[in-house]
Amino acid sequence: MPELPEVETVARLLRPDLVGARVEGARVSWERTLGGMTKRVFARRVIGTRIVAVWRRAKYLIFDLERDGEPAGCLVGHLRMTGRMYVGPAEAGDERHIRVRLDLDQGRAFQFVDVRKFGRLVYADTAAEAMPGLGPEPLGPEFTAAWFARALRSRRRQLKPLLLDQGFVAGLGNIYVDEALFSAGLHPLRRSDRVPRAKADLLHAAIQGTLAEAIKREGSSFDTFYRTPAGQPGSYQHQFQVYGRTDKPCRRCERPIRRLVVGQRGTHICTRCQPAPRASRISR
DNA sequence: AGCTACTCCTGGTAGC
DNA sequence: TGCTACCAGGAGTAGC
């Protein structure tokens, strides 16, 4: 499922194709993708605009629009689990599950494909109004080790649900949280205010290191869903230490990786490298 | 404040 | 083979 590294990859690869493109048509085959706007209104808002910027915030993709050289709102997209975006020739399109299609100039089309229909492509006047309150970017300047240590202490939550909370830190998802927690040797059920400073620093570095490396490898593809806009799979899945490795030996200590459920999410840990907190010996 | 459960969706798969 | 039941999960929401 696309998380920050995958969305960053999509933004980077879409940018050269989309910036400067003129929107000449809009076809919506699953209206809920628009987040409440009717397809008629959506089409009226976007047709005749030009895309002037493509950027990412957390797991959102934002396309800034202009009409006659004046700002004209933006499109805010979220891939959720199975969304894909790419630009291709207008006539090439027997792809299933196309939810929104924008006809562009020069005979090209932007397609938003999404098997499970959870993804969104929303028109908004400003990006902020289409995104909820988000925490800092984990690769941005606000996300310092000192800030992170303080933020962990100020909450009393289990680490995994806290790191998945986009209002705390924006952009992490199930995969990279599991990987970062393993890398720092922290159990997902550890309470955030009980993490010692040295461990908080390790986790901070693990989050940044994991994300940066995953961006270099254009994200992770382990099923048929995530592909870059160029149609290629990412390659970070080969670096996974714990995610999806249930029963396989820990790469550090050989003990089989265990799968547990934390906050309704599949969670992968090494019970030796990530010792359970004293209060809750959930996993033996 | 922080937790759990439920909802939205479909394709793949386990079980019979 | 063909059927059903169940599972994955990001994020929003409701209820405790």
Side-chain angles (χ1 to χ4, degrees):
Chain A
M1 38 296 3
E3 304 180 23
L4 188 153
E6 289 77 22
V7 180
E8 177 64 25
T9 301
V10 173
R12 288 181 184 183
L13 294 188
L14 283 179
R15 192 170 292 130
D17 279 337
L18 282 184
V19 172
R22 193 181 139 82
V23 180
E24 297 180 343
R27 267 175 284 175
V28 178
S29 41
W30 185 254
E31 202 164 46
R32 286 191 193 182
T33 301
L34 306 181
M37 186 174 271
T38 64
K39 49 177 101 172
R40 272 185 59 125
V41 174
F42 179 82
R44 203 181 306 146
R45 293 283 184 275
V46 300
I47 293 174
T49 63
R50 190 177 294 281
I51 299 170
V52 294
V54 172
W55 51 287
R56 177 193 64 77
R57 168 76 170 108
K59 301 176 201 170
Y60 293 88
L61 284 155
I62 300 101
F63 308 153
D64 289 330
L65 306 175
E66 278 185 6
R67 187 185 296 280
D68 305 321
E70 298 292 322
C74 59
L75 291 172
V76 178
H78 197 303
L79 304 172
R80 293 287 177 96
M81 264 97 68
T82 59
R84 275 171 44 214
M85 294 180 179
Y86 58 88
V87 176
E91 63 282 356
D94 53 342
E95 170 117 48
R96 296 171 67 191
H97 313 303
I98 296 169
R99 307 307 177 196
V100 178
R101 179 193 158 99
L102 301 177
D103 299 305
L104 306 175
D105 56 304
Q106 298 174 5
R108 300 172 307 151
F110 162 88
Q111 316 235 71
F112 182 28
V113 177
D114 184 23
V115 172
R116 289 187 196 159
K117 300 181 174 176
F118 286 179
R120 293 291 177 265
L121 188 66
V122 174
Y123 176 87
D125 291 327
T126 65
E129 69 194 56
M131 300 187 290
L134 295 167
E137 283 288 322
L139 296 176
E142 293 170 63
F143 187 72
T144 62
W147 176 88
F148 186 57
R150 222 177 310 121
L152 287 179
R153 261 184 278 119
S154 72
R155 312 289 191 98
R156 298 180 175 192
R157 293 181 63 185
Q158 297 170 338
L159 284 177
K160 174 137 184 184
L162 181 59
L163 294 176
L164 287 174
D165 183 344
Q166 303 298 298
F168 181 70
V169 175
L172 294 171
N174 206 36
I175 296 170
Y176 297 107
V177 166
D178 278 9
E179 293 297 312
L181 286 172
F182 171 81
S183 174
L186 284 164
H187 193 283
L189 295 179
R190 276 278 283 270
R191 254 177 57 171
S192 62
D193 57 330
R194 294 185 183 163
V195 175
R197 176 63 199 256
K199 277 287 192 185
D201 288 352
L202 266 183
L203 182 57
H204 176 267
I207 290 169
Q208 293 198 323
T210 303
L211 293 176
E213 190 60 29
I215 291 172
K216 270 189 204 161
R217 295 172 189 268
E218 301 195 317
S220 310
S221 302
F222 46 88
D223 54 26
T224 57
F225 295 122
Y226 170 69
R227 292 294 179 272
T228 73
Q232 300 298 313
S235 65
Y236 191 74
Q237 66 277 11
H238 302 303
Q239 314 299 316
F240 286 171
Q241 304 291 305
V242 287
Y243 185 83
R245 298 194 64 246
T246 310
D247 297 333
K248 292 184 180 149
C250 171
R251 298 195 203 274
R252 214 182 266 168
C253 79
E254 306 275 287
R255 183 179 286 200
I257 299 300
R258 294 280 302 270
R259 181 182 189 276
L260 44 149
V261 176
V262 178
Q264 288 93 246
R265 300 231 160 72
T267 299
H268 310 77
I269 63 165
C270 169
T271 54
R272 183 177 294 162
C273 299
Q274 298 166 270
R278 214 172 273 272
S280 58
R281 288 232 170 248
I282 309 288
S283 52
R284 274 164 275 278

